[in-house]
Amino acid sequence: MADNVKPRVRVPKTASAGEVITIKTLISHQMESGQRKDKEGNVIPRSIINHFSVTFNGAPVIDVEMEPAISTNPYFEFEAKVPESGEFVFRWQDDDGSVYEDKQSIEVS
Amino acid sequence: MKIDRRDVLVSGASAAALGILPWAALAQDAEPAKTLDELIAEFTGGVEATEGEGITLDAPEIAENGNTVPISVEAEGASEILVLAPGNPVLPVATFKFGELAGKRAASTRIRLAQTQDVTAVAKLADGKFVRTAANVKVTIGGCGG
């Protein structure tokens, strides 16, 4: 289990129906690549978030397969279409099996 | 192993260099990594990807810190975009899959680059065709903005 993993997500509070909005996400995670060595020369084992997905009211928005080349504190910016009021669900999957989740509601007028 | 704050401060610059340099050395020890062409062929199922048109990859020309290089990819009508770093020990960087509610077939993230190289992106378009592009990024190794 990685320490202090904290997802942060920025979604507008409101939008008009069918509007395309920009979403920014950041999650604090060391993303240990498995390529580095410690002071004794031992390889530090890989420990990364390997998958990120976003859905809106259950419909897929984006899905990312992540490799160790993604930087520490993985950041993603992308756009989503919001046909109606509802909830975005953001999920990050860790190598160790942990799943980090965040939810954000949006009001469509 | 726990790295405390002091360690980080003392070895700031050297750690950054160490973080990058062993990558190249290690690449030889590991099982033979797939080449760029092999990975692209795997993604396209052997279909030839056309160069340039229909896909954009934005990356800085010079990245002082290879640990966090901002990139953006966009390909209109793409269902998937694969990003590869041919100069890294592990070539694949990320695969973006766009769902029905994706506003635009585009995404931005930050990646690690071990050395100066042509970052490559390949997109699978709705009509089953593939397009690819590359952007050269010069990485100033160990140059932490000093």
Side-chain angles (χ1 to χ4, degrees), chain B residues 42-107:
Chain B
E42 211 168 81
F43 179 70
T44 64
V47 179
E48 192 73 21
T50 45
E51 200 83 34
E53 297 267 311
I55 180 167
T56 51
L57 170 62
D58 277 336
E61 278 176 36
I62 296 172
E64 285 188 347
N65 182 356
N67 274 319
T68 172
V69 182
I71 61 151
S72 321
V73 285
E74 179 170 1
E76 215 185 311
S79 56
E80 286 184 39
I81 301 178
L82 169 70
V83 180
L84 298 159
N88 280 8
V90 179
L91 276 64
V93 173
T95 311
F96 299 94
K97 294 177 187 151
F98 299 99
E100 54 185 286
L101 290 182
K104 220 190 207 181
R105 305 305 158 122

Side-chain angles (χ1 to χ4, degrees), chain A residues 9 13 15 38-39 48 50 54 59 64 77 86 90 94 97 102 109:
Chain A
V9 169
K13 291 255 181 315
D38 62 18
K39 280 183 196 144
I48 68 162
N50 57 47
V54 182
V64 189
E77 182 180 333
F90 303 86
D94 198 301
D102 198 359
S109 48

Side-chain angles (χ1 to χ4, degrees), chain A residues 1-84:
Chain A
M1 176 76 195
D3 304 327
N4 303 322
V5 176
K6 188 167 184 282
R8 293 184 186 83
V9 169
R10 185 171 295 170
V11 178
K13 291 255 181 315
T14 58
S16 50
E19 192 182 336
V20 170
I21 57 164
T22 300
I23 296 179
K24 294 178 181 179
T25 72
L26 184 76
I27 186 163
S28 49
H29 194 284
Q30 83 283 10
M31 294 291 282
E32 190 57 63
S33 68
Q35 303 283 347
R36 296 197 310 148
K37 288 181 178 171
D38 62 18
K39 280 183 196 144
E40 287 80 43
N42 307 310
V43 172
I44 306 171
R46 167 181 145 156
S47 169
I48 68 162
I49 292 176
N50 57 47
H51 196 102
F52 170 59
S53 65
V54 182
T55 57
F56 181 71
N57 290 349
V61 177
I62 195 168
D63 188 293
V64 189
E65 295 286 346
M66 297 159 65
E67 303 290 341
I70 299 291
S71 299
T72 306
N73 303 336
Y75 164 85
F76 290 105
E77 182 180 333
F78 52 91
E79 297 190 356
K81 210 184 297 172
V82 278
E84 73 240 339

